[in-house]
Every structure is written in C-alpha cells, then in structure tokens.
Amino acid sequence: MSFDRSIKIAPSILSADFANFGQEIRAVEDQGADWVHVDVMDGHFVPNITFGPATCKAIRPHIRGVMDVHLMISPVDAYIDAFAQSGADFITAHLEAGPHIHRTLQAIRATGAKAGLALNPGTPVEAAKGLLDDVDLVCIMTVNPGFGGQKFIHSQIDKVRALRAMIGDRPVHIEIDGGVDPTTAPLVAEAGADVLVAGSAVFKGGSVSNSAPYGDNIRAIRAAAEAALR
Ligand code: DX5
Ligand code: ZN
C-alpha cells in the first residue's frame, strides 16, 4: 500500500444494513469507495455496541480495498491480535481508551497492521505530538464517538490544520470521522485531511438493490473536497 495524500472516501458500514454487510461493501466499492471504515463499539468506551473481531474476519473477504478498523473499545491491547488476524489493514485506537497509548500503537504495528490514533473532540491535538513517528494515521473525531448521523463539530477544523503542520513530511494520514457530507468535506480537506469517513451521507437514499445513490453520494463528497484543494 503506497502512501498518498489524495482524497479518499471511506464509507462507514455503521450506516449499512447489518444483515447484508457483504453486499453493502461490494455496493459501495463498486460505487467508488476507496476504503471501508469498520466501527467497533463495546458499550463501555462508547454508549453503543456493534460487533467484534469475528464479524471483521467474516467481512474481510468482501473488501477489495483497504479495511480501516476503528476501535471504540476499552481496554484495547488484549484484542489487538484478534483484530489483526481478522485482516484489518489499519487498526485505530483512541488516545482516551487507556493510560498507555504508546504501548498500544506499538502493539498494533507489531502485528504488521498500520496503526491509527483517534482523538475525541475534547482532546487537544497537542496530545498527538510525541506519537507522530509511531502512527500511520491520526483520526480527528468531528462528533463524539458512538453513533452515526450526528452533527459535525466545527471547532475541530483548527485541530486538523494544526495536526497537518505537526505531521510535516511524515507519511501519516489525517482521517476525519463524523458528520462528513458535501458541506463539511471541503472544510476539512482544505485544513489538510485526506481520509474522509462518511456513514449516513454515503448510505442515505440507497440500498443493496438500489446502489446508484451510494455512487452519487460518494461523488458529491469527493467533488466538494477536491474543489477546496484547487
Ligand atoms: C462514530 C463513528 C463514525 C460514524 C460516522 O462513532 O466512528 O464512523 O459512523 O457516521 P456519520 O458519517 O453518519 O457521522
Ligand atoms: Zn469511525
């Protein structure tokens, strides 16, 4: 997987039909998705529960591209091997999920997976400073994690800009997660983000038997983001 800063759209299957993940994944990839974002929630770190490594392993063969697993769980370390064995390309853990994030990031990289660091809206971006050589991706949460369909938190845009400057030449992706749609995508793209996660804004209006709206939605987000870079 080579590194580049082009805009990548990563539909979150949190907004997909949970009884049809295989077909939903094929549909969004056929309709232009770059990465597939997989939200793992434990009902403890966040007030919602989704699924675990067994589901990740089951959906992996249906993903042609990049499998981006976002762990909203605490503790993290005991489960890293299981998620790596499920075939995740990126495994992202939250800074707020435990006292030893550096150890967690090292453990993720030791599996051969790429390591992501997620920051909640209330966490200052400076917290990432000492970790930038230990990560492949930093995820700025633009909603409080736990649910799809929430309102984008505009105060996070300044964090994206500061993070972009801190990263410099390092091959580290900046991912935005929460409330991304064609109106907010340009704001974060202009500030330096390259991976745009979108759940409700991708899946709205479509279904596995009518997936053309997924393509329209993905193209609208991408076009809005790329226009901000010109
Ligand atoms: C929120 C999840 C997001 C979520 C985004 O906790 O991490 O990935 O699915 O959903 P939207 O795009 O609907 O805000
Ligand atoms: Zn997510």
Side-chain angles (χ1 to χ4, degrees):
M1 206 189 309
S2 63
F3 180 85
D4 72 71
R5 286 197 196 284
S6 63
I7 296 292
K8 289 162 284 291
I9 309 295
S12 164
I13 60 167
L14 187 61
S15 295
D17 174 0
F18 272 42
N20 280 303
F21 277 147
Q23 290 179 66
E24 290 276 45
I25 287 163
R26 261 191 305 281
V28 288
E29 287 196 327
D30 287 347
Q31 294 292 333
D34 300 291
W35 292 13
V36 175
H37 185 83
V38 181
D39 285 309
V40 175
M41 304 185 185
D42 67 352
H44 168 73
F45 179 66
V46 290
N48 192 7
I49 302 177
T50 55
F51 46 74
T55 302
C56 291
K57 190 172 186 175
I59 66 177
R60 171 76 259 196
H62 299 276
I63 301 175
R64 289 192 301 260
V66 172
M67 183 179 187
D68 176 33
V69 174
H70 178 193
L71 298 182
M72 287 161 275
I73 65 174
S74 175
V76 181
D77 294 9
Y79 302 101
I80 289 171
D81 282 344
F83 284 103
Q85 280 162 24
S86 80
D89 295 295
F90 284 81
I91 299 176
T92 294
H94 270 262
L95 178 93
E96 306 84 2
H100 303 296
I101 186 66
H102 185 270
R103 174 182 293 149
T104 300
L105 296 168
Q106 281 186 312
I108 293 171
R109 278 191 164 172
T111 68
K114 301 220 180 272
L117 168 69
L119 303 183
N120 279 337
T123 301
V125 72
E126 288 71 25
K129 213 164 201 168
L131 301 167
L132 293 176
D133 291 322
D134 303 292
V135 295
D136 303 288
L137 175 153
V138 179
C139 173
I140 299 291
M141 293 301 303
T142 40
V143 298
N144 288 294
F147 303 96
Q150 302 181 81
K151 209 172 154 333
F152 181 89
I153 302 172
H154 283 260
S155 59
Q156 302 305 299
I157 298 169
D158 285 346
K159 277 167 68 173
V160 178
R161 211 179 299 285
L163 177 63
R164 182 68 197 86
M166 273 163 54
I167 286 173
D169 292 337
R170 295 178 182 87
V172 176
H173 296 287
I174 299 181
E175 177 175 77
I176 304 300
D177 192 359
V180 171
D181 64 20
T183 64
T184 55
L187 309 176
V188 290
E190 193 274 325
D194 63 304
V195 184
L196 307 183
V197 175
S200 40
V202 165
F203 285 93
K204 70 163 193 215
S207 67
V208 289
S209 53
N210 172 33
S211 60
Y214 297 168
D216 296 338
N217 295 337
I218 290 170
R219 279 188 294 277
I221 297 167
R222 192 193 305 282
E226 287 177 348
L229 300 177
R230 280 189 214 114

